Each structure stands twice: as C-alpha cells, then as structure tokens.
Amino acid sequence: MFIGTGTSITSIPNAVMRLKNIKGGPEFSAFLTDLRNFLKTLETAPQCLMELEQQAYYVINEYSDKETRDNLDAARKRVIKYLEEIMTGCPADDQLLTVLENYYLFLESLLEHPPHKRGGIQKEQLSGLKIQNEYDVQHLLYAYLKPLYPLARAEVSEDTGYGTVRTDIFLDSDHVIEVKCTRRSMPQKKLIEEMEADMVHYHAEHIYFFIYDKEKMIENPQLLCNIYENKVKGKQIHIIIHQPKIL
C-alpha cells in the first residue's frame, strides 16, 4: 500500500515531474494530498484548490480495471496541464498589464461609488480611507491581484549575490512588481534613480514598476515609459503610472 509522506513537493515543476511517474490510484491520491498541502503553504485561493479537485477527479469502474486505469491516466494528464498553466500561463504578460492598468477602476469602485444604503459599510467609512504612501498602495494592489494570481506573495527577499533585495509583490520567478508612490519630498530624479537600481538588481525577466503618482509630479508619463521600458538588456521593463483623481 502506498503511503504519502506529508508535503514532499518543493515546487510546481517538482510536482509535475513527480506526477508524470505516478501509475496507480493510491499513489495518485497520496500525491494529491501532498500537492494540496504544498499549495496551501503558498496561500493558494480556495477557488484554485477547487479547480484542482475538478481536474483530478476520475471514475473508478469496478468492472473494468483497464477503464479505471484509462480514467486515472486522463486525470493525471489534466492535472499536469493545470499545473503547467499555473507556471506558464499565469501571469500572462498581456493579461497582467491589462490588470495593472485597470487598477484605478478598482479604486473607483471601492472608494468613490457610494455603498448600498442598507449595507453595514457607510460612505463616511470609505471616505476615511486615504492612500498616504507606497505601503498603502502595495496593500491594496496585493489584495486586488491575489484572487487573479493565487500564488502571489508580498515582500519576498531575493539574494542577488551581492546583497539582498526585497520584491514588493512576487508573482513568480520571472514576474515581479515594484511599487512606487510619489511624495512631496521625492524629486522625480530620486524616483528614476530608485527605478534604475531595481532594474539592475532584480533577477526576474519581467519587472513591473507600478507607480502611484500621488503628487502628480510626473509631467509626461508616456515619455517616462518610452525612455525606461526595455532599458536593461535581457529584461523586459514595464511601467504603469496612475495619477489619482481624488485620493
């Protein structure tokens, strides 16, 4: 009888490799237990776990071992495809850019649209929620992204070989988001210097600079994007600038 060993899975690629070698039903069941435990350590959304269960389900035919094996093999292949989609299809670059560019629609819906009169949340409570600095931006942006990218993590440290840098929002090893929020004491030159340093230090292939220009100090956002996107060889730089209307 095959017995699971807790969560021996160390990464999604490791899970895919292990899954490709699974043959029998008990081994598959033990693997799914390990996989659930691993995904929970990544704070995976319940919806993602439910989708996994749907992909892993297969019918056991008590009258036909061959049909049961075929059903198991089909379920195994579905789970492999699902995990590979997590690795390669999420986040899709174009989709992520669209999500980040639409962030202000989230803020408008949350903070500027009056809540239902019969609800417990009052307009006065929402009007008291103000973005003061980049920690506030990061908190709201992380909450906005988490349902779409269940494996996202906040403030992940990375060893660059020379020192340690901390990623504001880590989506996967190739996609990271650095959050900036302008302030009166920060000249545009300082903002650009911080961005240039981050472009060099992060190992990720895709670096997204999410700039909440609270003070509206960036006079020509499009020009800034044109100059600094694709600035570092071997990396894709994306710059998303939001200048608030009310907050």
Side-chain angles (χ1 to χ4, degrees):
M1 180 177 178
F2 185 87
I3 300 176
T5 56
T7 176
S8 57
I9 297 172
T10 57
S11 66
I12 292 179
N14 169 257
V16 171
M17 180 177 65
R18 177 176 159 185
L19 185 54
K20 289 180 178 179
N21 296 320
I22 285 177
K23 304 298 181 183
E27 187 179 1
F28 185 61
S29 297
F31 165 82
L32 290 175
T33 298
D34 288 354
L35 181 59
R36 290 187 207 99
N37 291 337
F38 171 72
L39 292 176
K40 287 176 181 178
T41 66
L42 301 180
E43 299 181 358
T44 302
Q47 180 182 351
C48 185
L49 296 175
M50 289 177 60
E51 291 174 354
L52 172 65
E53 296 297 332
Q54 292 171 353
Q55 300 301 323
Y57 176 78
Y58 69 97
V59 176
I60 299 176
N61 188 333
E62 59 181 312
Y63 302 107
S64 174
D65 291 340
K66 181 182 183 305
E67 184 173 335
T68 297
R69 287 195 301 270
D70 290 344
N71 293 340
L72 171 61
D73 188 55
R76 184 178 60 85
K77 290 178 179 177
R78 288 196 302 269
V79 175
I80 289 175
K81 182 180 178 181
Y82 182 69
L83 293 176
E84 288 176 341
E85 286 176 353
I86 291 178
M87 288 190 296
T88 61
C90 181
D93 300 332
D94 291 342
Q95 177 191 13
L96 178 56
L97 278 174
T98 299
V99 169
L100 293 175
E101 288 168 355
N102 288 338
Y103 172 75
Y104 205 82
L105 296 177
F106 160 71
L107 288 186
E108 285 182 331
S109 298
L110 175 66
L111 303 178
E112 297 177 22
H113 291 183
H116 197 285
K117 294 180 180 180
R118 295 183 179 180
I121 300 174
Q122 302 299 312
K123 182 177 180 181
E124 293 74 17
Q125 295 172 306
L126 292 177
S127 63
L129 181 59
K130 299 292 184 181
I131 292 178
Q132 302 293 337
N133 52 43
E134 69 181 47
Y135 296 104
D136 297 332
V137 179
Q138 178 182 324
H139 179 78
L140 289 170
L141 180 61
Y142 180 72
Y144 171 66
L145 292 174
K146 188 67 174 178
L148 302 174
Y149 304 103
L151 300 184
R153 290 181 287 159
E155 298 190 349
V156 175
S157 296
E158 176 185 354
D159 186 0
T160 65
Y162 180 77
T164 301
V165 295
R166 187 174 62 184
T167 302
D168 289 334
I169 299 178
F170 178 94
L171 298 180
D172 59 37
S173 59
D174 287 328
H175 300 79
V176 299
I177 300 173
E178 178 65 21
V179 176
K180 303 290 184 185
C181 181
T182 59
R183 55 187 184 275
R184 293 180 182 178
S185 60
M186 171 193 278
Q188 183 170 303
K189 180 181 178 181
K190 174 65 174 175
L191 172 65
I192 291 174
E193 288 175 351
E194 290 184 2
M195 291 172 59
E196 289 178 335
D198 292 332
M199 291 177 194
V200 174
H201 290 152
Y202 288 131
H203 287 156
E205 180 180 349
H206 294 266
I207 305 173
Y208 296 79
F209 287 95
F210 187 89
I211 304 173
Y212 189 80
D213 188 11
K214 184 174 183 292
E215 301 299 328
K216 298 185 179 180
M217 59 178 282
I218 302 174
E219 297 180 0
N220 193 330
Q222 188 58 55
L223 179 60
L224 179 66
C225 293
N226 292 343
I227 291 175
Y228 286 94
E229 287 185 344
N230 303 312
K231 186 176 178 64
V232 180
K233 187 178 297 185
K235 297 179 182 178
Q236 181 69 53
I237 306 299
H238 310 271
I239 300 176
I240 301 93
I241 300 174
H242 285 281
Q243 293 180 318
K245 301 174 183 178
I246 295 179
L247 295 180

